[in-house]
Amino acid sequence: MSAKFKKLRLQYEYLSLEKDEIKEVCEQMGKEMNEFFSLNYPKEYKIFSQHNLNNAATKNSEISSCENNPIKKPKEMKRLYRQIAVKIHPDKKETGNTILFKSAAEAYKDNNISKLIEIANLIDLPIPAFSAESIYILETKIKDLGEHIKDLRNTSAWRWSHLKDEEEKNNLIRTLMSITS
């Protein structure tokens, strides 16, 4: 495996952890923010919640239509996935591993080369050399992760996590109410 590919893989793994951490903070702060909002502005909260439900439904339909554009999988990725599947398929009594197999299947479906390599390392499979096509896919995944992290950091829940006092919290809630009205 080339040094460039290793660095890209590490960058992808770091950004994945970063995204998971930010997502966890946003989920926790989103609950806290909703609780604060519903307790301090109950009437407005009801209107705001309905508005957000409608927006979420629209966004989900947009996302699902974007996911129907599969990217062609590089040969080495197919080969690595098949080797993993042969070694850890749940039907194999001695080496079967349902959890890893499902994880590998999901990684293959999502073109997550980094995850496939991680699984291959866990089960002592040799890692093939990767083509420019695979490197491009990994670079695209890194770019997408960066955009996802940027989007998460622009959420009101992320902003909420950095507020220091009640006044700042009330200001954010009032700003949110003015946006939706």
Coordinates of all heavy atoms in Angstrom, one line a residue, residues 34-83:
N34 N -33.9 21.4 22.8 CA -35.4 21.2 22.6 C -36.1 21.3 24.0 O -37.2 21.9 24.1 CB -35.7 19.9 22.0 CG -35.4 19.9 20.5 OD1 -35.5 21.0 19.9 ND2 -35.1 18.8 19.9
E35 N -35.5 20.7 25.0 CA -36.1 20.8 26.4 C -36.1 22.2 26.8 O -37.2 22.7 27.4 CB -35.2 19.9 27.3 CG -35.8 19.8 28.7 CD -35.0 18.9 29.6 OE1 -34.6 17.8 29.1 OE2 -34.7 19.3 30.7
F36 N -35.0 23.0 26.7 CA -35.0 24.4 27.1 C -36.1 25.2 26.3 O -36.8 26.0 26.9 CB -33.6 25.0 26.8 CG -33.5 26.4 27.2 CD1 -33.0 26.7 28.5 CD2 -33.7 27.4 26.3 CE1 -32.9 28.1 28.8 CE2 -33.5 28.7 26.6 CZ -33.1 29.1 27.9
F37 N -36.1 24.9 25.0 CA -37.1 25.6 24.1 C -38.5 25.3 24.6 O -39.3 26.2 24.7 CB -36.8 25.2 22.7 CG -37.4 26.0 21.6 CD1 -37.1 25.8 20.3 CD2 -38.3 27.1 21.9 CE1 -37.6 26.5 19.3 CE2 -38.9 27.8 20.8 CZ -38.5 27.5 19.5
S38 N -38.8 24.0 24.8 CA -40.2 23.7 25.1 C -40.6 24.2 26.5 O -41.8 24.5 26.7 CB -40.4 22.1 25.0 OG -39.6 21.5 26.0
L39 N -39.7 24.2 27.4 CA -40.0 24.7 28.7 C -40.2 26.2 28.8 O -41.1 26.8 29.5 CB -38.9 24.3 29.8 CG -38.9 22.8 30.1 CD1 -37.6 22.5 31.0 CD2 -40.1 22.4 30.8
N40 N -39.3 27.0 28.0 CA -39.3 28.4 28.1 C -40.2 29.1 27.1 O -40.6 30.3 27.2 CB -37.9 28.9 28.0 CG -37.1 28.5 29.2 OD1 -37.4 28.9 30.3 ND2 -36.1 27.6 29.0
Y41 N -40.5 28.4 26.0 CA -41.3 29.0 24.9 C -42.2 27.9 24.3 O -42.2 27.5 23.2 CB -40.4 29.4 23.7 CG -39.3 30.4 24.1 CD1 -38.1 30.0 24.6 CD2 -39.6 31.8 24.1 CE1 -37.1 30.9 24.9 CE2 -38.6 32.7 24.4 CZ -37.4 32.3 24.9 OH -36.4 33.2 25.2
P42 N -43.2 27.4 25.2 CA -44.0 26.2 24.8 C -44.8 26.5 23.5 O -44.9 25.6 22.6 CB -44.9 26.0 26.0 CG -44.7 27.2 26.9 CD -43.5 27.9 26.5
K43 N -45.4 27.6 23.4 CA -46.3 27.9 22.2 C -45.4 28.0 20.9 O -45.8 27.3 19.9 CB -47.0 29.2 22.4 CG -48.2 29.4 21.5 CD -49.1 30.5 22.0 CE -48.7 31.9 21.5 NZ -49.6 33.0 21.9
E44 N -44.4 28.7 21.0 CA -43.5 28.8 19.8 C -42.8 27.5 19.5 O -42.6 27.2 18.3 CB -42.4 29.9 20.1 CG -42.9 31.3 20.3 CD -43.4 31.6 21.7 OE1 -43.4 30.7 22.6 OE2 -43.6 32.8 22.0
Y45 N -42.5 26.7 20.5 CA -41.9 25.4 20.3 C -42.8 24.5 19.5 O -42.3 23.8 18.6 CB -41.5 24.7 21.6 CG -40.9 23.4 21.5 CD1 -39.6 23.2 21.0 CD2 -41.6 22.2 21.7 CE1 -39.0 22.0 20.9 CE2 -41.0 21.0 21.5 CZ -39.7 20.9 21.1 OH -39.2 19.6 20.9
K46 N -44.0 24.5 19.7 CA -45.0 23.7 19.0 C -44.9 24.0 17.5 O -44.9 23.2 16.6 CB -46.4 23.8 19.5 CG -47.4 22.9 19.0 CD -48.7 23.0 19.7 CE -49.7 22.0 19.1 NZ -51.0 22.1 19.7
I47 N -45.0 25.3 17.2 CA -44.9 25.8 15.8 C -43.5 25.4 15.2 O -43.5 24.9 14.1 CB -45.1 27.3 15.7 CG1 -46.5 27.6 16.2 CG2 -44.9 27.8 14.3 CD1 -46.8 29.1 16.5
F48 N -42.5 25.7 15.9 CA -41.1 25.4 15.4 C -40.9 23.9 15.1 O -40.4 23.5 14.1 CB -40.1 25.8 16.5 CG -38.7 25.6 16.1 CD1 -38.1 26.5 15.2 CD2 -37.9 24.6 16.6 CE1 -36.7 26.4 14.9 CE2 -36.6 24.4 16.2 CZ -36.0 25.3 15.3
S49 N -41.4 23.0 16.0 CA -41.3 21.6 15.9 C -42.0 21.1 14.6 O -41.5 20.3 13.8 CB -41.9 20.8 17.1 OG -41.2 21.1 18.2
Q50 N -43.2 21.6 14.3 CA -44.0 21.2 13.1 C -43.2 21.7 11.9 O -43.1 20.9 10.9 CB -45.4 21.9 13.2 CG -46.3 21.4 12.0 CD -46.4 19.9 12.1 OE1 -46.7 19.3 13.1 NE2 -46.3 19.2 10.9
H51 N -42.6 22.9 11.9 CA -41.9 23.4 10.8 C -40.7 22.5 10.5 O -40.4 22.1 9.3 CB -41.4 24.8 11.1 CG -40.6 25.4 10.0 ND1 -41.1 25.9 8.8 CD2 -39.2 25.6 9.9 CE1 -40.1 26.4 8.0 NE2 -39.0 26.2 8.7
N52 N -40.0 22.1 11.5 CA -38.8 21.2 11.4 C -39.1 19.8 10.9 O -38.4 19.2 10.1 CB -38.0 21.1 12.7 CG -37.1 22.3 12.9 OD1 -36.9 23.1 12.0 ND2 -36.6 22.5 14.1
L53 N -40.3 19.3 11.3 CA -40.7 18.0 10.8 C -41.0 18.0 9.3 O -40.6 17.1 8.6 CB -42.0 17.5 11.5 CG -41.8 17.0 13.0 CD1 -43.2 16.7 13.6 CD2 -41.0 15.7 13.0
N54 N -41.6 19.1 8.8 CA -41.9 19.2 7.4 C -40.6 19.4 6.6 O -40.4 18.8 5.6 CB -42.8 20.5 7.2 CG -44.1 20.3 7.7 OD1 -44.6 19.2 7.9 ND2 -44.8 21.4 7.9
N55 N -39.6 20.1 7.1 CA -38.3 20.3 6.5 C -37.5 19.0 6.4 O -36.9 18.6 5.5 CB -37.5 21.3 7.2 CG -37.9 22.7 6.8 OD1 -38.7 22.9 5.9 ND2 -37.5 23.7 7.6
A56 N -37.6 18.2 7.5 CA -36.9 16.9 7.6 C -37.5 15.9 6.6 O -36.7 15.2 5.9 CB -37.0 16.3 9.0
A57 N -38.8 15.9 6.4 CA -39.4 15.0 5.4 C -38.9 15.4 4.0 O -38.6 14.5 3.2 CB -40.9 15.1 5.5
T58 N -38.8 16.6 3.7 CA -38.3 17.1 2.4 C -36.9 16.7 2.2 O -36.5 16.2 1.1 CB -38.5 18.6 2.2 OG1 -39.8 19.0 2.5 CG2 -38.1 19.1 0.9
K59 N -36.1 16.9 3.2 CA -34.6 16.6 3.1 C -34.4 15.1 2.9 O -33.6 14.7 2.1 CB -33.9 17.1 4.4 CG -32.5 17.3 4.2 CD -31.9 18.0 5.4 CE -30.5 18.5 5.1 NZ -29.9 19.2 6.2
N60 N -35.1 14.3 3.6 CA -35.0 12.8 3.5 C -35.3 12.4 2.1 O -34.7 11.5 1.6 CB -35.8 12.1 4.5 CG -35.2 12.2 5.9 OD1 -34.0 12.4 6.1 ND2 -36.0 12.0 6.9
S61 N -36.3 12.9 1.5 CA -36.7 12.5 0.1 C -35.6 12.9 -0.9 O -35.3 12.2 -1.8 CB -38.0 13.0 -0.3 OG -38.0 14.4 -0.4
E62 N -35.0 14.1 -0.6 CA -33.9 14.6 -1.5 C -32.7 13.6 -1.3 O -32.0 13.3 -2.3 CB -33.5 16.0 -1.1 CG -34.5 17.0 -1.5 CD -34.2 18.4 -0.9 OE1 -33.1 18.6 -0.2 OE2 -35.0 19.3 -1.0
I63 N -32.4 13.2 -0.1 CA -31.2 12.4 0.2 C -31.4 11.0 -0.5 O -30.5 10.5 -1.2 CB -31.0 12.2 1.7 CG1 -30.5 13.5 2.3 CG2 -30.1 11.0 2.0 CD1 -30.5 13.5 3.8
S64 N -32.6 10.4 -0.4 CA -32.8 9.1 -1.0 C -32.7 9.1 -2.5 O -32.3 8.2 -3.1 CB -34.2 8.5 -0.5 OG -35.2 9.3 -1.0
S65 N -33.1 10.2 -3.1 CA -33.0 10.3 -4.6 C -31.5 10.4 -5.0 O -31.1 10.0 -6.0 CB -33.8 11.5 -5.1 OG -33.3 12.7 -4.7
C66 N -30.7 11.0 -4.1 CA -29.3 11.2 -4.4 C -28.5 9.8 -4.3 O -27.5 9.6 -4.9 CB -28.6 12.2 -3.5 SG -29.1 13.9 -3.8
E67 N -29.0 8.9 -3.4 CA -28.3 7.7 -3.1 C -28.5 6.7 -4.2 O -27.9 5.6 -4.2 CB -28.8 7.1 -1.8 CG -28.4 7.9 -0.6 CD -29.0 7.5 0.7 OE1 -29.9 6.7 0.7 OE2 -28.5 8.0 1.8
N68 N -29.3 6.9 -5.2 CA -29.5 6.0 -6.3 C -28.5 6.1 -7.4 O -28.7 5.6 -8.5 CB -31.0 6.1 -6.8 CG -32.0 5.7 -5.8 OD1 -31.7 4.9 -5.0 ND2 -33.2 6.3 -5.9
N69 N -27.4 6.8 -7.2 CA -26.3 6.9 -8.1 C -25.1 6.1 -7.7 O -24.2 6.6 -7.2 CB -25.9 8.4 -8.3 CG -26.8 9.1 -9.3 OD1 -27.4 8.5 -10.1 ND2 -26.9 10.4 -9.1
P70 N -25.1 4.8 -8.0 CA -24.0 4.0 -7.5 C -22.7 4.3 -8.3 O -22.8 4.6 -9.5 CB -24.5 2.6 -7.8 CG -25.5 2.7 -8.8 CD -26.1 4.0 -8.7
I71 N -21.6 4.2 -7.6 CA -20.3 4.4 -8.2 C -19.7 3.1 -8.5 O -19.9 2.1 -7.7 CB -19.3 5.2 -7.2 CG1 -19.9 6.5 -6.9 CG2 -17.9 5.2 -7.8 CD1 -19.1 7.3 -5.8
K72 N -19.1 2.9 -9.7 CA -18.6 1.6 -10.1 C -17.4 1.3 -9.1 O -16.6 2.1 -8.8 CB -18.0 1.8 -11.5 CG -17.5 0.5 -12.0 CD -17.0 0.6 -13.4 CE -16.3 -0.7 -13.9 NZ -15.4 -0.5 -15.0
K73 N -17.4 0.0 -8.7 CA -16.5 -0.4 -7.7 C -15.2 -0.9 -8.4 O -15.2 -1.6 -9.4 CB -17.0 -1.6 -6.9 CG -18.2 -1.1 -6.1 CD -18.7 -2.2 -5.2 CE -20.0 -1.8 -4.4 NZ -20.3 -0.5 -4.2
P74 N -14.0 -0.4 -7.9 CA -12.8 -0.9 -8.5 C -12.6 -2.4 -8.3 O -13.0 -3.0 -7.3 CB -11.7 -0.1 -7.7 CG -12.4 1.0 -7.0 CD -13.8 0.6 -6.9
K75 N -11.8 -3.0 -9.2 CA -11.6 -4.4 -9.2 C -10.9 -4.9 -7.8 O -11.3 -5.9 -7.3 CB -10.6 -4.9 -10.3 CG -11.2 -4.8 -11.7 CD -10.2 -5.1 -12.7 CE -10.8 -4.8 -14.1 NZ -9.7 -4.9 -15.2
E76 N -10.0 -4.1 -7.4 CA -9.3 -4.5 -6.1 C -10.2 -4.5 -4.9 O -10.1 -5.2 -4.0 CB -8.0 -3.7 -5.9 CG -8.2 -2.3 -5.7 CD -8.2 -1.4 -6.9 OE1 -8.2 -2.0 -8.1 OE2 -8.1 -0.2 -6.8
M77 N -11.2 -3.6 -5.0 CA -12.1 -3.5 -3.9 C -13.1 -4.7 -3.9 O -13.3 -5.3 -2.9 CB -13.0 -2.2 -4.0 CG -13.9 -2.0 -2.8 SD -14.7 -0.4 -3.1 CE -15.8 -0.5 -1.8
K78 N -13.5 -5.1 -5.1 CA -14.3 -6.3 -5.2 C -13.6 -7.5 -4.8 O -14.1 -8.4 -4.0 CB -14.8 -6.5 -6.7 CG -15.8 -5.5 -7.2 CD -16.1 -5.8 -8.7 CE -17.0 -4.8 -9.2 NZ -17.3 -5.0 -10.7
R79 N -12.3 -7.6 -5.2 CA -11.5 -8.8 -4.8 C -11.3 -8.8 -3.3 O -11.5 -9.9 -2.7 CB -10.1 -8.7 -5.5 CG -9.3 -9.9 -5.4 CD -8.0 -9.9 -6.2 NE -8.1 -9.2 -7.5 CZ -7.5 -8.1 -7.9 NH1 -6.8 -7.4 -7.0 NH2 -7.7 -7.5 -9.1
L80 N -11.0 -7.7 -2.7 CA -10.8 -7.7 -1.2 C -12.1 -8.0 -0.5 O -12.1 -8.8 0.4 CB -10.3 -6.3 -0.8 CG -10.0 -6.1 0.7 CD1 -8.9 -7.1 1.1 CD2 -9.6 -4.7 1.0
Y81 N -13.2 -7.5 -1.0 CA -14.5 -7.9 -0.3 C -14.8 -9.4 -0.4 O -15.2 -10.0 0.5 CB -15.6 -7.1 -1.0 CG -17.0 -7.5 -0.4 CD1 -17.4 -7.3 0.9 CD2 -17.9 -8.2 -1.3 CE1 -18.6 -7.7 1.4 CE2 -19.1 -8.6 -0.8 CZ -19.5 -8.4 0.5 OH -20.7 -8.8 1.0
R82 N -14.5 -9.9 -1.6 CA -14.7 -11.4 -1.8 C -13.8 -12.2 -0.9 O -14.3 -13.2 -0.3 CB -14.5 -11.8 -3.3 CG -15.7 -11.6 -4.1 CD -15.6 -12.2 -5.5 NE -15.8 -11.2 -6.5 CZ -14.9 -10.7 -7.3 NH1 -13.7 -11.2 -7.3 NH2 -15.2 -9.7 -8.1
Q83 N -12.6 -11.8 -0.7 CA -11.7 -12.5 0.2 C -12.2 -12.4 1.6 O -12.1 -13.4 2.3 CB -10.3 -11.9 0.1 CG -9.6 -12.2 -1.2 CD -8.2 -11.5 -1.4 OE1 -8.0 -10.5 -0.7 NE2 -7.4 -11.9 -2.3

